[in-house]
Amino acid sequence: MFASINQNLPMKKITFLLFLFITSSIFSQIKGKITDTKNNPLSFVSIYLDKTVTGTTSNDNGDYVLNFSKKGKHIIVFQILGYKTLKKQVNITSFPFELNVNLEEENVQLDEISISTKDNPANRIIRNVIANKDKNTDKFAKYTAKFYSRGLYKIKNAPEKFFGQTMGDFGGGLDSTRSGIIYLSETVSEIKFQKKPKKFKEKIIASKVSGRDNGISFNRAEDANINFYENSVEFGNDLVSPISTNAFSYYKYKLEGVFYDKNGKLINKIKLIPKRKNDRVFNGSIYIVEDDWAIYGADVSVTGAQVNIPVVDVLYLKQNYNYSESVDAWVLISQSIDFKVNAFGFKFDGRFSSAYSEYDFSPQYAANTFTNEVLTFEKKATEKDSVYWSELRPVPLTIEEVKDYQIKDSIKVVRKSKKYLDSVNKKQNKFSLLAPITGYTYRNSYKKWSFSYNGLLGNFGFNTVQGFNTSLGFSYFKRENEKGKWWNAGVNANYGFSDKSLRPTFFFTKKWNNLSRPRMTISGGVTTAQFNWRNPIMDLNNTISSLFDRLNHLKIYEKGFARIDYSEEIKNGIYLDASLEYANRKPLFNTTNYSFASQDKNGGYTSNNPLNKTDFVNAAFNEHKIATLNVGATFIFGQKYLSYPDRKFNIGNDKYPTLNVNYTKRFGASDSELNSDLFQASLRQDINAGNYGNLSYNIKGGMFLKKKNIAFMDKLQANGNQLTFPLDGGLNSFGLLEYYKFYTNDRYAEAHVEHNFRGAILGKIPLINKLNFHLVGGAKTLFMADKKPYTEYSVGLDNIGFGKWRFLRIDYVKSYHAGIKNDGLLFRLSMFN
């Protein structure tokens, strides 16, 4: 607009024109306060001009601002669930125009016909809604709109420390009781939607975060798109919609009453009654328009147990819809999500509110309108000033929110100063008595560097080769900018108290940006490595099993090496990684027989020779030197991503599998038989089956170009498991397969498939459904060129626990190999799957 101003105008005139523009924008408003009949403020009231779709929403104080500049007679509509819709006729002669209103509670009544009918009238209504879902949503099958969202987190009585670490003041917004706002953000964006094929795109035109310079908010319109017309609703978890095609398997319904809206439409208030307490369903009420069979509004909630998020007490969702004459449809105009969290001494509550405006139901999309880039930021979207926001913001700030912006914006400059950062670091950099054991970091936040000592405890472990062993390490980290450029260098020394060997290593890593994330690492030294380069055995698992059960599953060798690694996303969804290593490999032997368990428990310790566990004298290979070149690529087909001003955030695409291909060449060995060429590939995918749970699979295969007498650690091996309580992921390993039993220098393939039915099966069985367990079924198979196939089948229960805390999973596994059958129970923590 101002580009057309004559550059020869005096500066005073330009300033005056700017003043006129800003003041006219601010004062061309209808504003006021909305209360109930007892003068209590009403939040989340929709305010709009009659015969239009969208307008604005009242804040937590009941205040509202409706941007409007046309004088004369108009009808303003005030609408909220639970209260009578008010049409207020006004004659506007000047701006700003103040309009305060009181809303009466809705008189929801059951008519005589509803009471006397034999069939449940609520069931009839819901069946009609389900039958008309496609018809109703086809009316707004594509649209553009403006989207406003506000995110607010508040904390009450915040603890001073957590596990000994000082928690600070959470950005400076806490009062004397350590209560207050810890996160406040706003976003205004333009959205584009298409129903078939389903597409969504968002362009953020303004973004603001209290107390931050970059202002990058993570309030996404697509995340807020909670659509009850879908069978499965994403709301903390995949929940069954109350109007899903199979909703009657999860809900009972009760007609609580009816009322008429502002246009004389009959609105049915339907109470949602979950058939089972902890199913993935909603509680509350949904409002349905008679004859149109469309959603008028929703006032629902879910518990932490229902969404399987233990730290959440409850999530509340409210939605308001309005009638659009242009498409004869009811469209979403406002939404709020409230939550309460109570865990580990932290008490949070908050709200994400959103409003839709400026709908266009007849957009013209070009062929390239929808791409894999689903979110972008307009240039300088994070740099809008307070005047801009005052004009643009459709929902006024509360007094508390205004205060938070003022406080945090005033102190953010101070908090970037050297004096302040040094004072913070002075507290953080205090050296405690436990630091030599737990570790220590010295920080210089102003210059963006830190120096760390990793402590003795973090890498403490036990194995029969080294005995008790631990590591000491030092590292230096330097952040070059805020866009992902940094470098890190360090040294580490591991010492085994039984073999009395010191094994030092070093590394240098550099990353250039957060867009393609190019990263290079140079490393070297002397270390120990597992014979299976897929590392099936965790050090913690081996330490526990060795010391308490005399089961030393871990088999290792020594490697002196020099290595360089590089990785980068070279194109959206295409990731390249490569490495080159030269190593001297030496065999190792047991040096200790120590254990807390008796000498003969489980037959005693085995040797460090994975090929012959009773041979304590001979090694599995001869010492040799060899070079290894590894080149790999990962393809995430149809990968969607978000483009932030300083980074690219990939969100994948569960419609397609992820493919990984890899070529490994080993060369330079003095014995040519040790050189080899290996090709590998894998295909994996997690499929969201909506109300029927999740299906996951992982298929792998590999082959050597030539069958040769290569070193054991270079052969293809499967990931076995001999633990009752493994901590690894289930789709990467077998449940009952012995470690080091399956290996080949020829060809191999393995497949893992698993389906978690969640509540789709057990949720329908009386009594059992009250336990809220999830049924899981799986199958695994392994083929190697010189061995008979190995197969496993499993059935298990997930979501085991008490109340909201449900982290345990139990599987019964049965295996088959060469006519031999085996079975066993596996216990896993769900967080590791």
Side-chain angles (χ1 to χ4, degrees):
M1 175 178 178
F2 301 115
S4 60
I5 296 177
N6 191 318
Q7 294 182 359
N8 295 320
L9 280 174
M11 191 62 193
K12 288 184 179 180
K13 287 188 177 183
I14 294 177
T15 304
F16 180 69
L17 288 173
L18 287 171
F19 173 77
L20 286 178
F21 172 77
I22 292 170
T23 52
S24 64
S25 298
I26 292 176
F27 291 111
S28 297
Q29 297 173 338
I30 302 171
K31 62 181 182 178
K33 191 176 189 70
I34 306 170
T35 58
D36 62 14
T37 54
K38 297 179 181 179
N39 288 323
N40 297 313
L42 291 177
S43 63
F44 199 59
V45 179
S46 296
I47 306 100
Y48 51 91
L49 289 174
D50 195 24
K51 306 296 184 182
T52 64
V53 177
T54 56
T56 186
T57 305
S58 62
N59 66 18
D60 288 348
N61 295 335
D63 299 320
Y64 74 93
V65 173
L66 179 64
N67 290 323
F68 187 65
S69 59
K70 190 176 180 181
K71 297 178 181 179
K73 293 182 178 181
H74 302 281
I75 297 176
I76 312 299
V77 182
F78 299 84
Q79 176 186 329
I80 183 176
L81 294 178
Y83 291 83
K84 290 182 180 180
T85 298
L86 175 66
K87 284 187 174 182
K88 194 78 172 178
Q89 185 166 351
V90 296
N91 185 13
I92 301 174
T93 57
S94 62
F95 290 103
F97 185 83
E98 186 169 342
L99 179 60
N100 301 318
V101 299
N102 297 103
L103 299 185
E104 298 179 14
E105 287 191 25
E106 187 67 69
N107 185 16
V108 180
Q109 294 182 340
L110 283 174
D111 58 31
E112 293 181 3
I113 296 176
S114 298
I115 295 173
S116 62
T117 183
K118 292 181 180 179
D119 183 30
N120 182 349
N123 290 350
R124 173 188 63 84
I125 293 168
I126 295 298
R127 288 192 186 100
N128 280 323
V129 175
I130 294 171
N132 285 273
K133 284 198 300 182
D134 283 339
K135 175 185 174 182
N136 280 320
T137 54
D138 282 345
K139 293 177 181 179
F140 46 90
K142 63 178 182 178
Y143 62 79
T144 63
K146 184 168 284 188
F147 174 80
Y148 169 81
S149 66
R150 182 182 300 170
L152 177 71
Y153 285 7
K154 298 168 70 175
I155 195 169
K156 186 176 181 180
N157 300 324
E160 297 267 355
K161 292 185 177 182
F162 185 66
F163 285 112
Q165 299 295 316
T166 301
M167 298 307 300
D169 60 3
F170 292 88
L174 303 186
D175 60 20
S176 59
T177 67
R178 292 186 59 79
S179 302
I181 295 175
I182 60 173
Y183 176 79
L184 173 62
S185 67
E186 296 178 273
T187 299
V188 177
S189 55
E190 298 169 348
I191 59 175
K192 295 179 173 69
F193 171 81
Q194 177 180 284
K195 180 181 175 182
K196 292 182 180 179
K198 188 176 181 180
K199 301 287 185 181
F200 195 95
K201 188 161 189 175
E202 178 178 8
K203 180 181 180 181
I204 293 180
I205 58 178
S207 179
K208 181 179 178 68
V209 180
S210 181
R212 297 186 190 175
D213 272 339
N214 59 17
I216 298 175
S217 164
F218 292 95
N219 309 342
R220 289 182 57 214
E222 191 170 16
D223 289 340
N225 186 26
I226 299 169
N227 187 358
F228 285 108
Y229 288 106
E230 300 281 350
N231 288 329
S232 181
V233 180
E234 286 191 33
F235 187 58
N237 204 330
D238 290 319
L239 305 181
V240 180
S241 168
I243 56 172
S244 166
T245 52
N246 64 339
F248 284 94
S249 297
Y250 294 88
Y251 294 94
K252 293 179 182 179
Y253 303 93
K254 179 183 178 181
L255 178 61
E256 292 188 292
V258 298
F259 61 91
Y260 290 90
D261 82 329
K262 65 182 186 296
N263 296 316
K265 287 279 189 178
L266 181 66
I267 310 299
N268 301 282
K269 183 180 180 182
I270 308 292
K271 184 177 182 179
L272 308 176
I273 307 171
K275 287 188 172 182
R276 294 162 295 274
K277 179 182 178 181
N278 292 323
D279 266 355
R280 296 175 296 113
V281 295
F282 293 93
N283 312 282
S285 300
I286 188 169
Y287 296 75
I288 303 299
V289 184
E290 186 82 12
D291 296 328
D292 291 344
W293 310 121
I295 299 175
Y296 175 83
D299 187 355
V300 297
S301 65
V302 293
T303 64
Q306 288 172 314
V307 295
N308 203 25
I309 305 177
V311 296
V312 172
D313 283 343
V314 64
L315 289 166
Y316 298 96
L317 169 66
K318 288 185 179 180
Q319 289 185 331
N320 283 329
Y321 291 71
N322 198 3
Y323 178 71
S324 170
E325 290 185 349
S326 63
V327 288
D328 185 30
W330 295 82
V331 296
L332 182 64
I333 57 172
S334 60
Q335 174 179 283
S336 70
I337 300 170
D338 293 79
F339 59 89
K340 290 184 181 297
V341 176
N342 188 352
F344 310 114
F346 293 90
K347 295 180 180 180
F348 295 99
D349 65 78
R351 167 177 289 184
F352 279 92
S353 55
S354 53
Y356 299 80
S357 61
E358 300 181 22
Y359 272 110
D360 177 4
F361 298 105
S362 303
Q364 299 299 314
Y365 293 145
N368 63 347
T369 296
F370 296 104
T371 63
N372 289 327
E373 186 181 38
V374 296
L375 180 139
T376 58
F377 273 68
E378 186 179 87
K379 190 175 181 181
K380 295 186 177 181
T382 62
E383 301 174 16
K384 309 297 185 183
D385 59 21
S386 58
V387 174
Y388 178 91
W389 277 101
S390 296
E391 175 198 345
L392 189 68
R393 182 183 291 120
V395 182
L397 298 173
T398 65
I399 296 174
E400 185 181 28
E401 290 166 343
V402 170
K403 183 179 178 182
D404 188 74
Y405 272 132
Q406 290 173 343
I407 291 174
K408 290 180 181 175
D409 287 349
S410 65
I411 65 176
K412 68 180 180 182
V413 176
V414 174
R415 295 200 166 198
K416 291 190 298 181
S417 69
K418 184 177 185 302
K419 182 178 180 180
Y420 175 80
L421 293 174
D422 285 349
S423 68
V424 173
N425 289 154
K426 186 177 181 180
K427 295 180 181 179
Q428 295 174 331
N429 294 338
K430 288 183 178 179
F431 194 85
S432 69
L433 293 176
L434 293 177
I437 299 174
T438 60
Y440 172 77
T441 298
Y442 182 89
R443 300 173 179 86
N444 188 322
S445 299
Y446 184 75
K447 294 185 177 180
K448 299 181 176 62
W449 62 263
S450 63
F451 183 79
S452 299
Y453 157 73
N454 63 15
L456 296 167
L457 189 62
N459 294 301
F460 185 81
F462 177 87
N463 61 67
T464 53
V465 173
Q466 298 174 281
F468 288 102
N469 64 92
T470 188
S471 298
L472 290 176
F474 299 91
S475 62
Y476 178 85
F477 180 88
K478 172 67 175 177
R479 187 177 301 280
E480 301 276 344
N481 60 32
E482 300 303 320
K483 297 184 177 181
K485 186 177 182 181
W486 53 261
W487 61 270
N488 188 21
V491 294
N492 191 75
N494 176 265
Y495 183 77
F497 289 92
S498 180
D499 69 348
K500 296 180 174 54
S501 294
L502 182 69
R503 297 180 174 90
T505 57
F506 72 90
F507 72 90
F508 172 83
T509 300
K510 185 175 178 66
K511 180 169 171 275
W512 281 266
N513 61 61
N514 282 331
L515 299 177
S516 62
R517 294 178 175 83
R519 180 181 300 204
M520 180 187 69
T521 298
I522 300 172
S523 58
V526 180
T527 188
T528 58
Q530 293 191 45
F531 277 97
N532 185 345
W533 44 265
R534 292 171 63 179
N535 297 321
I537 305 168
M538 296 178 64
D539 287 338
L540 177 60
N541 276 337
N542 184 73
T543 297
I544 294 172
S545 63
S546 296
L547 292 176
F548 292 95
D549 291 319
R550 279 196 180 270
L551 295 173
N552 58 324
H553 300 300
L554 185 72
K555 310 299 176 188
I556 56 178
Y557 65 94
E558 185 175 272
K559 180 174 72 171
F561 71 101
R563 180 184 176 98
I564 183 170
D565 296 82
Y566 183 82
S567 63
E568 184 176 6
E569 183 183 10
I570 58 175
K571 192 175 181 181
N572 180 52
I574 302 177
Y575 300 82
L576 175 70
D577 61 270
S579 66
L580 178 63
E581 177 185 272
Y582 186 75
N584 181 32
R585 298 160 163 178
K586 295 181 179 180
L588 296 173
F589 298 89
N590 287 354
T591 63
T592 181
N593 196 40
Y594 182 80
S595 176
F596 302 151
S598 61
Q599 290 283 343
D600 58 350
K601 187 173 183 180
N602 290 312
Y605 281 138
T606 58
S607 74
N608 192 48
N609 183 343
L611 297 176
N612 187 348
K613 296 180 183 179
T614 62
D615 189 347
F616 290 83
V617 178
N618 298 303
F621 70 100
N622 295 320
E623 181 180 348
H624 62 275
K625 295 182 177 66
I626 196 167
T628 303
L629 172 67
N630 190 80
V631 180
T634 299
F635 302 88
I636 301 180
F637 301 106
Q639 175 180 270
K640 297 183 181 300
Y641 64 96
L642 317 175
S643 292
Y644 291 99
D646 58 354
R647 76 195 61 150
K648 175 174 180 275
F649 185 80
N650 301 318
I651 57 177
N653 191 333
D654 59 7
K655 290 184 179 180
Y656 306 103
T658 295
L659 172 67
N660 177 267
V661 292
N662 196 84
Y663 169 66
T664 302
K665 183 176 183 63
R666 293 186 174 89
F667 61 98
S670 54
D671 182 356
S672 61
E673 278 294 301
L674 299 177
N675 298 330
S676 63
D677 295 273
L678 169 64
F679 288 94
Q680 296 179 89
S682 68
L683 200 66
R684 65 184 185 273
Q685 187 178 10
D686 294 315
I687 301 172
N688 185 347
N691 297 337
Y692 300 98
N694 295 85
L695 174 69
S696 302
Y697 66 85
N698 189 7
I699 302 170
K700 297 182 179 184
M703 62 176 294
F704 288 92
L705 288 184
K706 187 177 180 181
K707 189 175 181 179
K708 301 171 70 175
N709 188 26
I710 59 177
F712 178 72
M713 67 279 287
D714 295 331
K715 294 181 178 181
L716 286 165
Q717 299 182 56
N719 268 11
N721 173 63
Q722 293 175 252
L723 301 172
T724 304
F725 208 134
L727 296 178
D728 63 332
L731 281 183
N732 291 312
S733 62
F734 291 85
L736 302 177
L737 182 65
E738 184 180 337
Y739 299 117
Y740 309 112
K741 184 173 183 178
F742 276 74
Y743 53 89
T744 184
N745 59 355
D746 194 355
R747 292 164 292 161
Y748 106 110
E750 65 179 272
H752 308 255
V753 62
E754 177 180 287
H755 191 96
N756 189 328
F757 291 91
R758 298 190 181 274
I761 295 179
L762 297 184
K764 297 186 173 79
I765 303 175
L767 298 181
I768 292 178
N769 56 30
K770 296 183 181 297
L771 298 172
N772 199 29
F773 293 161
H774 298 165
L775 180 66
V776 183
K780 302 170 183 286
T781 189
L782 174 65
F783 300 93
M784 284 192 171
D786 46 0
K787 292 179 176 63
K788 291 186 177 181
Y790 175 88
T791 305
E792 288 182 356
Y793 299 98
S794 65
V795 61
L797 295 175
D798 198 2
N799 204 44
I800 299 174
F802 301 96
K804 297 184 298 181
W805 303 96
R806 294 174 170 270
F807 291 142
L808 183 63
R809 170 174 163 176
I810 301 175
D811 290 285
Y812 171 74
V813 184
K814 196 169 186 67
S815 66
Y816 301 85
H817 173 61
I820 300 174
K821 299 179 182 179
N822 192 14
D823 64 354
L825 288 174
L826 295 182
F827 297 82
R828 279 192 169 95
L829 294 178
S830 298
M831 67 183 73
F832 289 99
N833 281 327

